[in-house]
Amino acid sequence: MSQLSLFTQGPLVLLDDASGRIVYEENVIGAQEAARWHERLLDSPIWRQQRRMMYERELDVPRLTSHFSAADPGLPWPLDVALERVRALTGERFNSIGLNLYRNEHDSVAMHNDRLGDLQEGHPIALISLGATRRMHIRNKKHAAARRLDLDLAPGSLLLMSLDTQLHYDHGIPKQAHPVGPRISLAFRTRKPE
């Protein structure tokens, strides 16, 4: 198991092999700008509470979500700015923005991989973190020798995962035992045309 500090400098290549590529970089969005984005999105009416069948009953998903097409002419600020920034940083023409709001230490997302059937091959997934630092677990799937990364996603950071990593790794944000403030994740993807 590797645990990575939140005090790294420059891009940190966490994985680069046949199973995919994962790169993490802090401070791609300056602290003041990231705080403004977080405040604006936190107070926005965009958030939805989803419900899912779990354990033979319908339950609230333990976080709030939102989604936008990059082509949406009404893309709210700061998502328009964030999209252009991530496109410039990565060279990718992402066409989808998914948002997750982890309101406190009780909100989470279980270990999972992104739904590959929805995504265009050869294009990475980029995550921008805003608000409180939260720990992400990344672990390989059971068909290989155990490998796990625990990564503190700091505000203003960028995590870039190649699509291949979704075949070989799961990732999640666990509940925490101690109080923590809200965190917003902006997930940029290239989805197949409908």
Side-chain angles (χ1 to χ4, degrees):
M1 173 174 65
S2 300
Q3 185 167 326
L4 302 166
S5 166
L6 90 119
F7 300 106
T8 59
Q9 298 293 320
L12 177 63
V13 178
L14 305 173
L15 176 73
D16 192 7
D17 61 23
S19 65
R21 181 175 170 83
I22 301 175
V23 177
Y24 176 72
E25 186 170 2
E26 293 184 346
N27 303 314
V28 297
I29 310 298
Q32 290 182 348
E33 186 174 22
R36 282 194 306 274
W37 291 7
H38 182 256
E39 182 180 342
R40 179 64 168 269
L41 291 169
L42 191 60
D43 293 334
S44 171
I46 63 173
W47 301 107
R48 304 288 176 259
Q49 177 68 70
Q50 294 182 344
R51 292 183 63 80
R52 285 207 179 120
M53 289 299 295
M54 292 183 264
Y55 315 112
E56 299 179 15
R57 58 190 171 137
E58 191 175 57
L59 301 171
D60 287 342
V61 170
R63 65 192 173 283
L64 300 181
T65 62
S66 190
H67 180 265
F68 291 89
S69 165
D72 184 340
L75 199 60
W77 185 88
L79 296 182
D80 52 347
V81 177
L83 175 64
E84 289 310 313
R85 186 81 51 87
V86 170
R87 284 176 168 173
L89 287 166
T90 64
E92 291 290 330
R93 299 296 304 166
F94 298 107
N95 62 15
S96 172
I97 308 169
L99 294 89
N100 286 297
L101 168 55
Y102 302 88
R103 296 162 288 191
N104 55 41
E105 67 274 12
H106 303 293
D107 280 358
S108 63
V109 63
M111 297 298 288
H112 69 286
N113 62 265
D114 286 24
R115 289 185 296 240
L116 296 173
D118 297 344
L119 303 176
Q120 285 191 5
E121 288 186 34
H123 296 276
I125 299 159
L127 300 176
I128 293 281
S129 292
L130 304 171
T133 297
R134 287 290 297 263
R135 170 82 35 102
M136 176 182 271
H137 295 313
I138 303 171
R139 71 174 177 225
N140 65 325
K141 298 185 181 190
K142 300 200 185 308
H143 59 270
R147 183 186 233 177
R148 177 174 150 178
L149 302 168
D150 290 338
L151 179 63
D152 290 331
L153 299 174
S157 66
L158 171 69
L159 181 69
L160 191 65
M161 298 183 287
S162 71
L163 197 62
D164 289 342
T165 61
Q166 304 304 302
L167 295 170
H168 302 284
Y169 291 85
D170 288 326
H171 58 277
I173 304 285
K175 296 182 189 312
Q176 292 194 217
H178 56 86
V180 65
R183 171 187 178 256
I184 295 172
S185 171
L186 309 179
F188 300 88
R189 297 178 178 92
T190 305
R191 295 195 180 277
K192 293 177 181 174
E194 294 185 18

